Amino acid sequence: MRVSVTDRCNLRCRYCMPEGIRQVPMSEILTLEETVQICRIAAENGIRKIKVTGGEPLVRKGCVPFIGMLKQIPGIEQVTLTTNGVLLQEYAEPLLENGLYAVNISLDTLDRGKYREITGTDALPAVEGAIRDMLRRGVPVKLNAVLEKGTGKADWKALAEMTRETPLLVRFIEMMPLGYGKDRAGASGEEVKDWLETQFGPMEPDKARHGNGPAVYWKPQGFQGSIGFISALHGKFCRSCNRLRLTAQGELKSCLCYEAGVSLKEPLRRDDEAEVERRFREALWNKPEAHCFERPEEMTEKREMGKIGG
Ligand code: SAM
Ligand code: SF4
């Protein structure tokens, strides 16, 4: 289950927050204790892995001890973090002491000027430092890059190149028609894989298990790490999707494509845990069969990824 702890952020990435942040009063955001309570109910109903996300999770005060609280919930086996990486090195030590297992870092380019253009901030050196630091500590690291058509052969190559000498997983994610992605063409994972093969030679499938997600991994010969493709549009993986998303405002969503979700905050705040559990199960059973990103006119989700919890 992905758990968003905030919809605020220290960056303004064009893919995720093209219009900046609309402030929501803190009273509408779940407290971290409320979020833990929901995660405990989720664990009692079979959830074993939690990915903490946002907005940027590390800008939420208390995020570090929150990881520890999640880790202590009976049944929760793994807690991981999806972050922009800017504050990661600063919090590395306590995050790991609190039981963080692995990190996903969003990074679309290794070009400092382009990074500034995409995120609105000159933070690339901090992110690169955090990646090196995590690898030095032996923490599993996945980098996530969104595939925008026409932008970045040089970026794709430079990111993929990082997997040559380090055990990194670099994943290319097809751009979904949410937020900025609504009006832009994305590149398909397949075309990017074909192009990377012209640069690195034929890639072998990497059959190792790297988490439970939908990425399909490939390895150029002699590389330590692997290159993954999350082909949400061109390689529809809905049949095997078991994701649930809890937004920072306490809504449980079972598919990125549809706005519909159930409010867990409302019964939680009137102390009705039985109703929280009933709604949790309802969301689980009513998970749509498939997304409809290929037919954007049928999509009901209008929010950007930063509001939903990517
Ligand atoms: N702040 C954290 C981060 O940057 O990793 C967590 C949240 S962020 C919303 C999660 C991811 O969603 C980012 O990698 C972002 O690029 C990605 N994303 C945003 N809009 C997208 C879209 N339309 N299609 C695919 N990925 C998108
Ligand atoms: Fe912030 Fe992550 Fe969205 Fe970038 S992708 S604006 S870092 S929440």
Side-chain angles (χ1 to χ4, degrees), residues 8-217:
R8 299 180 186 200
C9 190
N10 46 355
L11 302 185
R12 301 279 181 280
C13 300
R14 69 173 176 218
Y15 300 122
C16 160
M17 297 196 181
E19 286 147 32
I21 298 171
R22 282 181 298 276
Q23 299 275 358
V24 173
M26 268 318 265
S27 59
E28 287 183 28
I29 303 288
L30 289 180
T31 65
L32 294 177
E33 290 69 23
E34 287 172 332
T35 310
V36 170
Q37 215 177 331
I38 290 176
C39 291
R40 188 175 43 70
I41 293 167
E44 285 162 6
N45 284 275
I47 295 294
R48 296 289 167 259
K49 296 183 178 175
I50 294 181
K51 187 172 290 301
V52 178
T53 180
E56 172 51 38
L58 293 177
V59 303
R60 176 85 193 251
K61 203 164 163 235
C63 183
V64 173
F66 172 70
I67 301 274
M69 289 191 260
L70 292 180
K71 196 65 213 305
Q72 279 164 23
I73 296 174
I76 294 301
E77 294 164 3
Q78 238 178 52
V79 182
T80 57
L81 187 70
T82 295
T83 171
N84 58 34
V86 176
L87 297 171
L88 187 56
Q89 196 167 0
E90 187 179 329
Y91 291 120
E93 198 83 47
L95 280 169
L96 298 174
E97 278 167 14
N98 276 273
L100 182 74
Y101 173 71
V103 288
N104 288 9
I105 301 177
S106 300
L107 184 60
D108 301 298
T109 180
L110 293 175
D111 177 296
R112 198 159 167 182
K114 210 157 171 194
Y115 181 91
R116 208 180 304 118
E117 217 177 274
I118 294 175
T119 66
T121 315
D122 187 28
L124 182 61
V127 180
E128 289 179 314
I131 296 168
R132 282 193 297 273
D133 182 52
M134 286 287 132
L135 290 172
R136 190 177 52 75
R137 294 170 187 273
V139 179
V141 181
K142 293 174 181 164
L143 301 188
N144 292 334
V146 177
L147 290 174
E148 185 176 353
K149 206 170 191 93
T151 52
K153 284 188 172 167
D155 297 325
W156 305 337
K157 186 175 177 186
L159 287 163
E161 180 65 42
M162 289 176 85
T163 66
R164 189 190 290 273
E165 305 286 348
T166 59
L168 261 180
L169 299 174
V170 169
R171 292 123 48 98
F172 294 104
I173 303 178
E174 288 186 351
M175 189 158 67
M176 291 172 261
L178 289 163
Y180 176 93
K182 271 197 306 247
D183 312 312
R184 305 293 194 298
S188 79
E190 203 173 334
E191 75 184 77
V192 175
K193 175 178 171 278
D194 288 348
W195 183 77
L196 288 174
E197 286 193 313
T198 66
Q199 306 299 303
F200 298 120
M203 299 198 255
E204 295 288 321
D206 173 3
K207 300 254 172 59
R209 202 175 164 84
H210 301 295
N212 287 330
V216 177
Y217 291 95

